[in-house]
Amino acid sequence: MLDNLILSDGEKLDNNDPGKALKDADDYDDPKEGREKNTEATQGKDGEGCGEGNMKPFLDEDGDLDITHRPRKSPMGGSSRDLVCPIILKQSNPVLQQEEENVDDEVDKCFKGIIRIEHTMATPLEDVGKQVWRGALLLADFILSKPATFRGTTVLELGAGTGLTSIIMATIAKTVYCTDVGEDLLSMCKRNVLLNRHMTEHSGGEVRVRHLDWLQHDLCTDDDVEFSWTEDEVADMHKNTTFIIAADVCYDDDLTDGLFRTLYQLCSNFTHSCTVLISIEKRMNFTLRHMDVSCKAYDHFRHCLSQLQDLVDGRCSFSVEQLPSNFAQFLLYERIEQLELWKVIITPLPFDQARPAGERWKIGRLAASL
């Protein structure tokens, strides 16, 4: 069981003074309280010599009511962005972080049962993988609630982002291939894996951070490229992977198409059954085009699921079901009703049911259109 999850954001918090950071968050969390304090201060000053309810209002030169607002604090570092105050379960200590780099034994004592994640609070669309999303927390809860299901397995995560779900999976599984794209994102992911090696090594699990692009057909095996695959890893992944997981990765139709193409290409080459777990948050938006609330990204995801379930290629069978979200909650987040978890079981068919090569090729083209 995980005791704490530390979400550290160096851009927003003053790590040199954790108490100040938490106090600032409290100050901004309750603007109503601030207004009450401001009102009390004004009444105390201007009410001198006046009876209750006989306060003289402040008027400007035009006779309009002049309301004094509580001054807002500027974001740190001179940034023009609004101050973001995340919920911190426990403030990380830079002194302890330095000790972690030098003394492994001290890490086990100070951070036992704690997962620390480096992430970014807000990003442009192309860097959303650097944030921690609720879908990752939902999938992590499911993993923690079913330890016997994943114990000793080989797992592939697609679109791992910060690596949170892979790290939690590695506390139970044997090997986790944690994949995404972008050298900076994969480097962040690798740092998070190293920050939490006390969790994974203790259980005997291993996380391997690797590059996997859904829009490319082949895995990179170039030794000169960081985060590339070795030939042995490719063989191990194809031979032993029994679970594929993906957390909150369906927000763009082209990428969703790429995800399902990748799933099909991988699993159609497996000689064993594979279970795919996909978490998603149904984000509703009002569109002028439809003059209604809709969720196009979610609708496209469901369309791809339906296509996959109806696909008959002679090599695999596909079953799809939505899992209930009433499993135990280990991590602190709001489990809203828009969070969903889907399971796809892909099973290879016996060889005698295989279709001729030409027909398989046509169906392969159909699958590529997903």
Side-chain angles (χ1 to χ4, degrees), residues 138-169:
L138 179 74
L139 184 53
D141 269 343
F142 181 78
I143 294 167
L144 292 171
S145 68
K146 307 283 185 182
T149 301
F150 303 102
R151 184 164 289 116
T153 60
T154 297
V155 181
L156 170 66
E157 180 172 12
L158 301 175
T162 63
L164 170 63
T165 311
S166 284
I167 292 167
I168 290 179
M169 177 66 84

Side-chain angles (χ1 to χ4, degrees), residues 39 75 79 82 96 99 102 116 140 157 177-178 193 210 221 234 251 281 285 303 305 351 354 367:
T39 302
S79 172
D82 292 337
L96 295 180
E99 290 179 356
N102 301 324
R116 292 169 296 152
E157 180 172 12
Y177 292 103
C178 176
V193 171
R210 294 294 178 263
T221 56
V234 174
Y251 54 88
E281 181 174 340
N285 298 289
H303 174 68
L305 277 179
F351 181 76

Side-chain angles (χ1 to χ4, degrees), residues 241-243 270-275 345-348:
T241 296
T242 51
F243 288 96
F270 289 175
T271 59
H272 54 274
S273 297
C274 182
T275 299
I345 299 179
I346 304 177
T347 306

Side-chain angles (χ1 to χ4, degrees), residues 261-281:
R261 281 196 300 268
T262 300
L263 288 174
Y264 176 82
Q265 291 166 359
L266 286 171
C267 295
S268 61
N269 290 318
F270 289 175
T271 59
H272 54 274
S273 297
C274 182
T275 299
V276 181
L277 297 169
I278 305 174
S279 66
I280 185 170
E281 181 174 340

Side-chain angles (χ1 to χ4, degrees), residues 43 46-57:
Q43 291 175 347
D46 299 318
E48 293 178 0
C50 298
E52 184 176 351
N54 194 29
M55 293 175 55
K56 181 179 179 180

Side-chain angles (χ1 to χ4, degrees), residues 264 306-319 347 349 353-356 359-367 370:
Y264 176 82
S306 178
Q307 279 193 304
L308 188 65
Q309 186 171 24
D310 295 340
L311 182 64
V312 180
D313 68 350
R315 289 187 293 179
C316 299
S317 65
F318 307 89
S319 66
T347 306
L349 297 175
Q353 297 184 28
R355 295 176 181 267
E359 193 170 355
R360 288 203 307 269
W361 179 81
K362 293 179 183 178
I363 296 174
R365 292 286 298 274
L366 173 64
L370 280 169

